[in-house]
Amino acid sequence: MKFVSREWAFALLLPLAFAACDDSSGPSFNPPTGVTVTALSPSSVRVTFTAVSSATSYIVERAAGTGTFAQAGTTATTTFDDSGLLPSTSYRYRVAAVKGTDQTSFSTEAAATTQAPGTVVINADITTSRTLFADTIYTLTGFIHVANGATLTIEAGTKIQGDFNVVGSSLFIMRGARIRALGTADRPIVFTSSRPAGSRESGDWGGLILVGNGIINRAGDIRLEGTDSHPITNPAIIYSNGNNNADSSGELHYVRVEFAGYAPVTDAELNAVTFAAVGSGTAVDHVQVLAGLDDSFEWFGGAVDAKYLVSYDSGDDHFDMAEGYVGRLQFLIAYQNRLVTIRQGAGALGPDPQAIENDGCGSNTGSGCTSGYNSTPFNTPIVANFTLVGRGVLGTGSGDIGMVVRRGTGGYYVNGIVARWARAAISVRDAQTQQRITDGDLALRNVLMTEAPQLYQSGQQAGVDTTANALTLMSAATTSLFTALPATPANADALDWMPSATSAARAGGLTTFSGKLQTAAGSFITPTSYRGAVDPNGPKWWQGWTSYTTN
């Protein structure tokens, strides 16, 4: 008989002893099994699974569609309810067990599709505070006014449709009312046409209008354009006579407004997004307009600030500021790739489309402008880090200019890109506007321009000294400035506004503000070493929540 020494026996048994003592491996501490996902509603699901012996908690990860997994939460039980999801969307889940500092690998995946959203029609004014939920699609039927004293709260991921079948369906946040549109990057709030994708057109519905108690430079009772078509359903809305530029109309975060801009009155379209005398107490960031008729964004007086604004394919101007607007705007993108298709009877394309069009007071008639183009307060916004890209095709009207400053406007326009505008990059018009330059109330600084036949439109005022103010007209192709600018973008993410590796926009920004520019910028506007709307070393802030489609 052959004997094994006690030392060898101990060596043979040692691994088995360690295995028996280690309860974090082996069959007693494997990933959870039996993972099941059940849809509970349009915005929630329940995840269940079999308990793992000795586990103290579980990590649940979620992925939308074919996307990547991220932690959805933790639970100490074998049931996990996940809410705040998008309707009619497939979600995948996986679960890992935890004991102390030990964690198993993740389980096999299980998936479910959330239920279809409910539907609600809003056909009367909102007179008391109300919340709109992401598990419901809301249809605005007619001119809907949120009344003084009421707050409209909108959850992230909510869809609101303007009724195509009812003339001018739109949403007005009246003076003294508030909107709390609380979208997120992965769950933006979408205002759009009630027509199905593929058949939508500009002017399918009215738009989003905020009316505040801010100050404008027009005297008398000034009626908001596009109102007063009917004494009951669309009464005149007066936005003048305000006295509080710090007024709050609420907040807009991660909001899209699509295919809006119907004209209830001939030649008086509602803009896609209108800020009428809106005060600086209003918070605005990450807002996009797509295929709006008339202007994408328009400010009438007031002092509301905003960051991260996107306008794609406007029916007229992308950013229009007038009547004593003194707000601050930073990180703006305007992109014109086509002439939008207009709903029959909804209005007409603007005769002079531009990226930025700023007026001092009123229109050609100057109604309510008691001192004409010298009416005060002067229109003096600050617009920083803008990227304005046009079609590069000369239209039949008088537009196709990157920036038009006229009728006595002031303002500070700094660190921008103006590219592919067929008539001129900049137009400075009227003696009163030139006077704003002389007085230091109008400045153009550190702007990069290309694919424009001339820097200043000929036959107009001289503007500012191009060399002293670092206004540069290049001959480079617009496409060379950006990472990706396809001729026919397949979707919004195909438009990559990040400066390319060799882009001149990566440098040349004004990094130090002084004088009136510094005073106007305050702490809201940050000087940058680059030009344009995107930091070459920063995030692609427009991706994931914006849209680009033609219908």
Side-chain angles (χ1 to χ4, degrees):
M1 180 179 237
K2 189 172 184 180
F3 291 95
V4 178
S5 70
R6 282 184 295 179
E7 290 81 0
W8 276 104
F10 180 77
L12 291 171
L13 291 172
L14 188 59
L16 295 176
F18 274 111
C21 294
D22 184 5
D23 63 0
S24 66
S25 62
S28 63
F29 203 61
N30 289 323
T33 58
V35 179
T36 302
V37 185
T38 305
L40 300 179
S41 74
S43 61
S44 64
V45 301
R46 174 167 292 166
V47 182
T48 59
F49 46 90
T50 302
V52 175
S53 176
S54 75
T56 55
S57 64
Y58 302 91
I59 298 171
V60 181
E61 288 195 338
R62 175 187 65 223
T66 59
T68 57
F69 278 100
Q71 185 170 316
T74 61
T75 179
T77 70
T78 57
T79 299
F80 177 80
D81 288 344
D82 196 16
S83 60
L85 307 177
L86 295 176
S88 302
T89 302
S90 175
Y91 289 95
R92 296 150 42 225
Y93 290 84
R94 63 187 187 183
V95 184
V98 176
K99 179 184 179 183
T101 59
D102 295 326
Q103 176 187 318
T104 68
S105 58
F106 280 94
S107 66
T108 56
E109 299 175 17
T113 298
T114 50
Q115 297 173 9
T119 59
V120 168
V121 173
I122 301 176
N123 56 12
D125 287 349
I126 298 171
T127 57
T128 59
S129 296
R130 177 175 182 177
T131 298
L132 306 186
F133 300 98
D135 60 4
T136 302
I137 294 177
Y138 298 86
T139 300
L140 306 172
T141 298
F143 299 91
I144 306 301
H145 306 83
V146 180
N148 182 6
T151 296
L152 178 65
T153 300
I154 307 176
E155 279 191 339
T158 304
K159 181 178 180 180
I160 302 103
Q161 300 179 155
D163 193 341
F164 167 81
N165 297 302
V166 178
V167 169
S169 294
S170 50
L171 181 64
F172 293 82
I173 311 301
M174 301 298 287
R175 180 172 284 175
R178 293 191 179 188
I179 183 173
R180 297 182 66 241
L182 307 176
T184 61
D186 59 336
R187 303 176 68 232
I189 293 166
V190 180
F191 290 86
T192 191
S193 166
S194 65
R195 290 207 280 181
S199 60
R200 299 171 298 186
E201 296 174 306
S202 300
D204 272 356
W205 65 292
L208 175 62
I209 303 97
L210 280 66
V211 184
N213 195 41
I215 299 167
I216 72 170
N217 61 15
R218 296 175 69 184
D221 292 337
I222 306 300
R223 183 192 71 188
L224 185 64
E225 183 180 15
T227 66
D228 202 20
S229 65
H230 190 281
I232 303 296
T233 60
N234 184 26
I237 292 177
I238 305 301
Y239 66 95
S240 55
N241 309 310
N243 59 7
N244 182 13
N245 262 357
D247 186 39
S248 174
S249 294
E251 52 190 313
L252 301 175
H253 309 291
Y254 290 100
V255 173
R256 290 207 317 262
V257 178
E258 305 173 344
F259 306 102
Y262 189 88
V265 181
T266 302
D267 297 327
E269 294 92 349
L270 292 165
N271 300 294
V273 177
T274 301
F275 297 100
V278 175
S280 61
T282 311
V284 179
D285 64 77
H286 297 90
V287 180
Q288 182 200 9
V289 171
L290 171 66
L293 191 56
D294 205 55
D295 299 331
S296 295
F297 295 88
E298 183 149 13
W299 292 263
F300 296 108
V304 59
D305 300 325
K307 285 186 178 181
Y308 306 112
L309 304 182
V310 178
S311 171
Y312 288 161
D313 289 347
S314 177
D316 193 11
D317 305 319
H318 292 265
F319 304 106
D320 193 323
M321 301 155 234
E323 302 181 7
Y325 174 57
V326 294
R328 300 167 294 184
L329 308 173
Q330 189 168 25
F331 309 120
L332 278 61
I333 297 173
Y335 173 61
Q336 192 73 35
N337 193 47
R338 65 186 181 98
L339 297 179
V340 297
T341 303
I342 302 174
R343 169 189 175 173
Q344 186 175 5
L349 290 173
D352 57 348
Q354 4 263 355
I356 290 177
E357 181 181 275
N358 285 2
D359 295 334
C361 187
S363 59
N364 283 318
T365 61
S367 172
C369 299
T370 55
S371 298
Y373 293 165
N374 287 318
S375 297
T376 56
F378 294 137
N379 197 65
T380 53
I382 178 168
V383 186
N385 295 97
F386 46 90
T387 293
L388 314 175
V389 176
R391 295 187 304 141
V393 176
L394 195 63
T396 58
S398 58
D400 301 304
I401 297 172
M403 298 172 57
V404 173
V405 289
R406 64 185 184 181
R407 298 173 182 164
T409 190
Y412 308 92
Y413 310 86
V414 58
N415 291 344
I417 298 172
V418 179
R420 217 160 62 185
W421 294 92
R423 187 166 272 111
I426 301 172
S427 181
V428 179
R429 304 177 186 175
D430 312 308
Q432 295 89 339
T433 308
Q434 191 67 38
Q435 187 63 44
R436 301 290 93 78
I437 295 175
T438 301
D439 295 342
D441 294 317
L442 171 58
L444 301 162
R445 299 289 306 273
N446 298 67
V447 180
L448 174 65
M449 293 157 280
T450 195
E451 287 197 77
Q454 50 193 339
L455 192 155
Y456 287 124
Q457 183 184 17
S458 59
Q460 303 297 330
Q461 300 296 315
V464 303
D465 181 88
T466 57
T467 301
N469 291 280
L471 305 183
T472 306
L473 180 61
M474 301 173 55
S475 59
T478 300
T479 52
S480 71
L481 297 180
F482 308 105
T483 299
L485 184 59
T488 54
N491 52 52
D493 286 350
L495 293 163
D496 194 335
W497 300 109
M498 181 74 72
S500 64
T502 58
S503 177
R506 284 179 165 265
L510 182 64
T511 58
T512 303
F513 296 168
S514 61
K516 288 187 175 182
L517 171 58
Q518 182 182 29
T519 301
S523 60
F524 187 81
I525 301 292
T526 304
T528 66
S529 60
Y530 59 90
R531 291 169 288 182
V534 180
D535 183 346
N537 298 307
K540 298 185 179 185
W541 58 261
W542 71 96
Q543 286 193 348
W545 61 276
T546 59
S547 176
Y548 186 80
T549 183
T550 58
N551 52 35

